[in-house]
């Protein structure tokens, strides 16, 4: 078989049974004089043909990272179960609605879980439209906030926290809060024994204890944290205390992260809502990115801060505890590539085959010059732009 694409297919499918029609299609493509010009399109057809021949009754896992600009909308589906990680956009909110309409057109009318990394508008402003479009959501998974801190947390997030809870409750969506409790810091959500999503809140019990103690040290009355007038009077001090506890980006830098992966013994195939890995072009943009039976994992991190060594180590500990595979297939770079959130040598510690950024350009990730240049040189960085290629 001639051509690198076909050699790669042979390596992947050499032990599978192919029909005469499959091999005829491959041979015909090789004899096409315009093969080099049409290579990507032809290779995709061949991959579809081969997959259709060998899938039979095997379950298919779909992972689609939608190009919504500065925001986030990822849909995963296996058999009749669908989950979403974040649902919003600052730069292209209309695109979120367009892709939600596309889900409905494809008869995806029920979401089992929506994982919400945090409550900034660019990560949640599409959720209301999701419900209004007629798509139901059974359960929303969010980070746990202690009862005595919910009002002040909502104040610091400018009402985003309570507004989102109101949207979820109004649409009869169950709300499940994830706590961070040492060995039990990851909650596993499964579809049969095929796929799992491990949710982990970066907010710890110690963080909340530190927050309360700093309030006391700065003269803030803990008994008045539910008094909006009092919070307004002490607005600057309260915001600074949250930044002192959680970092300069505030509590959003310690959000909900999710590891998506197949279960250890699952036999299935990976695809997207069309035919590749992702509708935004990961299949064609990464020549070396290949979802195989032993490499399926993806880590979603929202706007998490993964810059200081202690923050990097926390992610590595989480992965060591819960990831079944040698290393990640795909990892989201946090906060749309912001230099404030990413260690410049992140890829040296948290190794993935490829990394993606939800943004409309490469401007923000370029600020992390070392990381940007190294990943780009290795063809391991993909910017999920707001236009599909």
């Amino acid at each position: 078989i001639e051509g690198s694409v076909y050699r790669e297919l042979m390596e992947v499918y050499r032990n599978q049974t192919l029909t005469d029609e499959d091999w005829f299609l491959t041979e015909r493509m090789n004899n096409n004089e315009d093969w080099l010009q049409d290579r990507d399109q032809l290779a995709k057809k061949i991959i579809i043909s081969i997959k259709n021949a060998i899938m039979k009754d095997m379950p298919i896992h779909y992972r689609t990272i939608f190009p919504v600009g500065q925001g986030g909308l990822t849909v995963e589906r296996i058999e009749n179960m669908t989950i979403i990680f974040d649902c919003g956009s600052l730069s292209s909110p209309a695109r979120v609605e367009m892709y939600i309409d596309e889900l409905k057109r494809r008869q995806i009318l029920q979401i089992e879980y929506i994982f919400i990394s945090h409550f900034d508008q660019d990560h949640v402003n599409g959720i209301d439209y999701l419900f209004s479009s007629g798509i139901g959501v059974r359960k929303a998974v969010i980070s746990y906030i202690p009862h005595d801190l919910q009002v002040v947390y909502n104040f610091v997030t400018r009402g985003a926290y309570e507004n989102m809870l109101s949207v979820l409750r109004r649409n009869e969506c169950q709300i499940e809060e994830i706590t961070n409790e040492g060995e039990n810091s990851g909650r596993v959500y499964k579809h049969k024994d095929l796929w799992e999503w491990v949710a982990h809140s970066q907010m710890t019990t110690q963080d909340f204890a530190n927050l309360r103690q700093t309030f006391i040290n700065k003269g803030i009355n803990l008994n008045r944290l539910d008094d909006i007038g009092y919070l307004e009077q002490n607005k600057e001090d309260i915001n600074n205390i949250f930044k002192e506890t959680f970092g300069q980006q505030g509590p959003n830098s310690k959000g909900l992260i999710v590891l998506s992966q197949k279960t250890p013994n699952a036999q299935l195939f990976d695809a997207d809502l069309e035919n590749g890995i992702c509708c935004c072009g990961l299949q064609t943009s990464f020549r070396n990115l290949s979802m195989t039976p032993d490499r399926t994992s993806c880590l979603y991190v929202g706007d998490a801060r993964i810059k200081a060594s202690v923050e990097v180590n926390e992610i590595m500990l989480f992965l060591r505890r819960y990831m079944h595979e040698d290393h990640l297939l795909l990892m989201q770079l946090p906060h749309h590539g912001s230099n404030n959130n990413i260690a410049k040598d992140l890829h040296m510690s948290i190794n993935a085959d490829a990394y993606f950024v939800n943004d409309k350009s490469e401007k923000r990730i370029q600020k992390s010059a070392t990381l940007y240049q190294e990943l780009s040189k290795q063809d391991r960085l993909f910017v999920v732009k707001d236009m599909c290629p």
Side-chain angles (χ1 to χ4, degrees):
I1 296 179
E2 298 176 355
S4 60
V5 173
Y6 303 120
R7 287 199 300 273
E8 182 177 340
L9 291 177
M10 277 293 290
E11 290 297 320
V12 175
Y13 299 112
R14 66 167 66 246
N15 296 322
Q16 304 293 343
T17 301
L18 305 177
T19 66
D20 290 340
E21 183 178 353
D22 294 320
W23 292 115
F24 174 75
L25 178 62
T26 303
E27 183 178 1
R28 180 164 58 85
M29 297 309 179
N30 272 323
N31 292 333
N32 186 340
E33 291 181 359
D34 298 324
W35 181 80
L36 288 177
Q37 179 179 347
D38 299 335
R39 179 184 60 183
D40 291 342
Q41 179 182 354
L42 300 178
K44 178 178 285 190
K45 290 180 180 179
I46 294 168
I47 291 171
I48 295 169
S49 178
I50 293 176
K51 280 190 174 183
N52 288 340
I54 64 179
M55 273 182 209
K56 299 181 180 178
D57 297 325
M58 297 177 72
I60 305 171
H61 173 259
Y62 300 85
R63 174 180 291 146
T64 302
I65 306 166
F66 286 104
V68 294
Q70 182 182 323
L73 175 58
T74 299
V75 175
E76 295 196 9
R77 183 170 174 83
I78 181 166
E79 295 187 324
N80 62 344
M81 181 173 173
T82 305
I83 72 97
I84 287 179
F85 182 80
D86 281 346
C87 183
S89 175
L90 180 65
S91 55
S92 305
R95 284 192 165 272
V96 176
E97 297 182 2
M98 180 182 73
Y99 292 128
I100 289 173
D101 291 340
E102 178 65 14
L103 296 180
K104 189 173 181 180
R105 188 181 73 80
R106 293 175 182 271
Q107 299 300 307
I108 298 177
L109 303 177
Q110 179 67 32
I111 307 297
E112 186 69 12
Y113 304 116
I114 180 167
F115 297 97
I116 301 175
S117 64
H118 61 293
F119 303 98
D120 272 357
Q121 286 299 298
D122 58 339
H123 290 259
V124 301
N125 63 8
I127 294 179
D128 209 355
Y129 184 81
L130 183 71
F131 285 115
S132 66
S133 71
I135 297 178
V137 180
R138 190 180 74 83
K139 182 177 290 186
V141 182
I142 64 176
S143 291
Y144 167 75
I145 306 297
H147 180 75
D148 65 313
L149 296 175
Q150 287 181 1
V151 174
V152 67
Y153 178 83
N154 183 61
F155 178 77
V156 170
T157 59
R158 299 181 295 279
Y161 175 67
E162 187 54 46
N163 179 65
M164 184 46 52
L165 294 186
S166 177
V167 169
L168 297 172
R169 290 167 181 153
R170 185 171 66 247
N171 290 281
E172 301 181 344
C173 176
Q174 298 178 39
I175 300 172
E176 187 160 280
E177 296 177 301
I178 300 295
T179 59
N180 187 317
E181 301 174 349
E183 293 297 322
N184 299 316
S185 62
R187 189 170 301 181
V188 180
Y189 299 84
K190 279 192 176 184
H191 176 67
K192 300 179 180 177
D193 193 28
L194 296 173
W195 205 270
E196 65 184 25
W197 299 269
V198 188
H200 166 77
S201 175
Q202 294 180 293
M203 292 184 178
T204 67
T205 301
Q206 189 60 52
D207 287 329
F208 297 127
N210 292 342
L211 184 64
R212 294 187 186 94
Q213 187 58 53
T214 307
F215 279 141
I216 293 172
N217 296 343
K218 300 290 186 179
I220 301 296
N221 189 340
L222 295 183
N223 295 322
R224 299 191 66 182
L225 292 181
D226 59 353
D227 182 339
I228 297 300
Y230 179 75
L231 298 181
E232 283 288 353
Q233 292 173 14
N234 296 276
K235 180 177 181 178
E236 184 176 351
D237 286 341
I238 289 172
N239 281 325
N240 288 336
I241 290 170
F242 265 86
K243 289 180 180 179
E244 185 176 332
T245 304
F246 294 104
Q248 284 302 306
Q249 286 76 45
N252 291 339
S253 62
K254 280 199 165 187
L256 190 77
I257 66 175
V258 176
L259 172 66
S260 168
Q261 62 185 352
K262 78 176 185 66
T263 55
N265 299 317
Q267 297 295 317
L268 46 82
F269 274 88
D270 298 88
D272 80 320
L273 294 182
E274 279 293 340
N275 302 304
I277 292 175
C278 168
C279 82
C280 60
L282 288 180
Q283 176 77 46
T284 56
S285 295
F286 284 121
R287 300 303 176 197
N288 299 320
L289 182 65
S290 177
M291 293 186 102
T292 63
D294 60 350
R295 191 69 53 76
T296 66
S297 54
C298 181
L299 180 64
Y300 304 108
V301 296
D303 285 359
R305 189 177 189 274
I306 315 176
K307 188 168 185 176
S309 59
V310 65
E311 296 159 345
V312 174
N313 290 336
E314 180 190 349
I315 300 295
M316 293 175 64
L317 178 62
F318 167 69
L319 293 175
R320 282 197 297 268
R321 185 174 293 161
Y322 292 103
M323 190 168 67
H324 308 312
E325 301 164 2
D326 292 338
H327 66 270
L328 290 164
L329 172 74
L330 194 57
M331 178 180 176
Q332 179 185 29
L333 291 180
H335 207 182
H336 320 287
S338 171
N339 185 51
N340 294 325
N341 291 62
I342 306 174
K344 64 180 181 180
D345 57 351
L346 181 71
H347 62 301
M348 301 297 291
S349 302
I350 306 175
N351 185 28
D353 286 353
Y355 302 80
F356 72 94
V357 175
N358 297 94
D359 208 346
K360 64 186 299 183
S361 71
E362 299 182 21
K363 183 176 180 180
R364 299 184 81 177
I365 187 63
Q366 283 179 339
K367 293 180 180 178
S368 303
T370 303
L371 182 67
Y372 173 85
Q373 293 170 8
E374 188 66 23
L375 294 181
S376 298
K377 182 173 63 177
Q378 297 174 10
D379 197 21
R380 295 169 64 196
L381 175 65
F382 184 75
V383 179
V384 186
K385 298 182 180 179
D386 60 359
M387 292 294 290
C388 287

